[in-house]
Amino acid sequence: MSLEVPVADLWAELPLELIERILDLLTEDYDQDPAYQWTKLRHIARRQMRRIERHFWRLWVPKLTITLYSGPRCQIDYRLPIGVGEDGLETGRVRFQTLSASLSNSVNKGDLRTLWENYGFENRVAHLRLGEGVLNHGMAGGYIVNDTDIVDLQVENEGLDIIFDWRRTLDALLREEVMMRKLQAEMALDRKSQLAAERRWPPFPRIQRLAFVKHFVLDIQMAKRVAVQKHRLKRYDPTGQAILGSLTHESRHLHKQPLQSPPTSEPSRACCIICSRRTGPSIFEVVSCEESVVLSLEGWQQLEKEELLDLYAEAYGWNCYRCLRQENNVAWQQTSKNDWLTVCSSGAEKLYSIRRWNPWF
């Protein structure tokens, strides 16, 4: 006979004060992991769901940024205004704003309205960033960035304000984050097993971490996103007629997927290909510039600053090798790595700086 007691019955027998304290401690223990808080802790009990949602409204919604792209160089950030009350916690709707004063000379309100009108599954001209400069203790590239859906989007004030369902928007963002973590762990284990079987897996932990960084940059970082994007497409359109807007010609060297339509032929300018480009970045381009694979390494928090700098430099070198398409030119990777290490900024600045995507990277 089974002696197991249902979890719900255990909770029911505990004093209310103890339950409250346990739920508080669980939330605090995962204060640097909103994805786990939302997808796991939020579903422990109804009381915990209300607690987590209140916690998110007060802490994480103000740390969410939605960036609208106008071409390759202009980024318009939308955030929660300061001093917002608790209404959105009850209604599930939130208003984000950008300031007209922050718009560049090349963008006006009419442009904003047009950009938002064209936003959709096949045209992801806006990306979400959660915890920029906060997550992973503020380490460079430690925040969550993705092009998941802005659910029930409503555009007002000539594009300066957007209103959306914050619960469902965060749910889409954080569920994909958890999915990518799982895929990454599986891919990393498969790669390690393959190298070990070929007797090419290094014996020393520090060299192993350098090897993982290489494979994260050159393969796993983008492969996991491709897999999640395909899963998203299957849910959105089981017939397969829709097109993933993130799989662009400009980012083909990153996602490595075949494309159905040829690149659009537009008049080019004489100076360079960047000035001729009309489109904003895909999520693959943004991730290649902003996301740090070093923070995917198990136990990175225990590493010394000197090794962290070396790992960041290693990732930078392989990223240059990848993005500048220097295949089979490993010397380029080492040169780029050394350039990053010898640049004038301090170690602290390198490890804690916030760097957004730019077309010249």
Side-chain angles (χ1 to χ4, degrees), residues 282-353:
S282 76
I283 189 60
F284 295 97
E285 293 174 283
V286 168
V287 165
S288 72
C289 180
E290 299 186 23
E291 183 181 74
S292 172
V293 301
V294 175
L295 306 180
S296 298
L297 295 171
E298 186 176 352
W300 69 264
Q301 299 90 337
Q302 283 73 51
L303 300 179
E304 298 292 334
K305 176 182 174 182
E306 179 266 337
E307 184 178 355
L308 281 173
L309 283 168
D310 188 62
L311 289 168
Y312 267 84
E314 183 79 4
Y316 177 85
W318 286 118
N319 202 23
C320 290
Y321 172 94
R322 172 184 63 183
C323 289
L324 299 177
R325 309 177 197 191
Q326 294 292 319
E327 289 82 355
N328 304 317
N329 184 5
V330 179
W332 183 279
Q333 186 271 341
Q334 283 297 308
T335 299
S336 300
K337 175 178 179 177
N338 292 333
D339 288 345
W340 190 90
L341 286 170
T342 55
V343 76
C344 295
S345 56
S346 66
E349 185 178 345
K350 291 174 182 176
L351 292 178
Y352 293 95
S353 61

Side-chain angles (χ1 to χ4, degrees), residues 41 46 54 105-106 171 178 191 261 263 277 359 361:
L41 298 184
R46 285 185 180 179
R54 184 168 61 248
N105 294 330
S106 60
D171 193 66
V178 171
R191 185 59 175 162
S261 59
R277 179 172 175 170
F361 176 74

Side-chain angles (χ1 to χ4, degrees), residues 66 119-121 124 126 128 146-153 164-165 168-170 172-173 176 232 236:
I66 295 177
Y119 171 82
F121 185 85
R124 289 295 202 227
L128 293 83
N146 208 341
D147 63 348
T148 45
D149 194 24
I150 306 170
V151 182
D152 286 344
L153 177 65
F164 57 94
D165 186 317
R168 292 169 62 195
T169 297
L170 283 174
L173 176 68
E176 281 204 2
R232 187 195 301 175
Y236 176 79

Side-chain angles (χ1 to χ4, degrees), residues 36-185:
Y36 189 84
Q37 288 179 334
W38 186 264
T39 61
K40 301 297 183 183
L41 298 184
R42 179 168 162 260
H43 298 284
I44 291 177
R46 285 185 180 179
R47 181 185 300 275
Q48 179 70 338
M49 178 174 286
R50 292 193 296 269
R51 177 187 300 269
I52 291 292
E53 290 182 355
R54 184 168 61 248
H55 173 71
F56 264 71
W57 176 256
R58 294 173 179 175
L59 179 65
W60 291 117
V61 173
K63 292 178 175 58
L64 176 66
T65 301
I66 295 177
T67 302
L68 179 69
Y69 296 96
S70 176
R73 292 183 293 274
C74 184
Q75 303 182 24
I76 304 105
D77 285 343
Y78 291 76
R79 296 187 178 93
L80 185 72
I82 297 174
V84 173
E86 301 276 298
D87 290 347
L89 181 59
E90 302 301 325
T91 65
R93 306 280 292 171
V94 66
R95 178 185 296 268
F96 273 29
Q97 296 179 337
T98 192
L99 300 176
S100 56
S102 67
L103 301 181
S104 70
N105 294 330
S106 60
V107 179
N108 56 42
K109 292 183 179 180
D111 296 327
L112 283 184
R113 185 175 62 252
T114 301
L115 286 168
W116 281 120
E117 287 173 352
N118 292 329
Y119 171 82
F121 185 85
E122 297 186 2
N123 185 32
R124 289 295 202 227
V125 293
H127 296 161
L128 293 83
R129 292 174 175 84
L130 182 65
E132 196 171 13
V134 177
L135 282 177
N136 282 304
H137 307 287
M139 293 286 287
Y143 49 92
I144 295 171
V145 56
N146 208 341
D147 63 348
T148 45
D149 194 24
I150 306 170
V151 182
D152 286 344
L153 177 65
Q154 180 182 343
V155 181
E156 294 189 350
N157 193 15
E158 297 295 309
L160 293 177
D161 293 13
I162 58 173
I163 302 172
F164 57 94
D165 186 317
W166 67 269
R167 286 188 180 89
R168 292 169 62 195
T169 297
L170 283 174
D171 193 66
L173 176 68
L174 298 175
R175 286 189 181 281
E176 281 204 2
E177 176 67 15
V178 171
M179 190 184 304
M180 283 191 287
R181 292 179 187 178
K182 182 180 179 181
L183 287 169
Q184 177 175 274

Side-chain angles (χ1 to χ4, degrees), residues 2-18:
S2 175
L3 298 179
E4 292 184 1
V5 179
V7 174
D9 292 344
L10 287 175
W11 279 106
E13 293 177 5
L14 294 176
L16 181 59
E17 295 79 5
L18 181 56

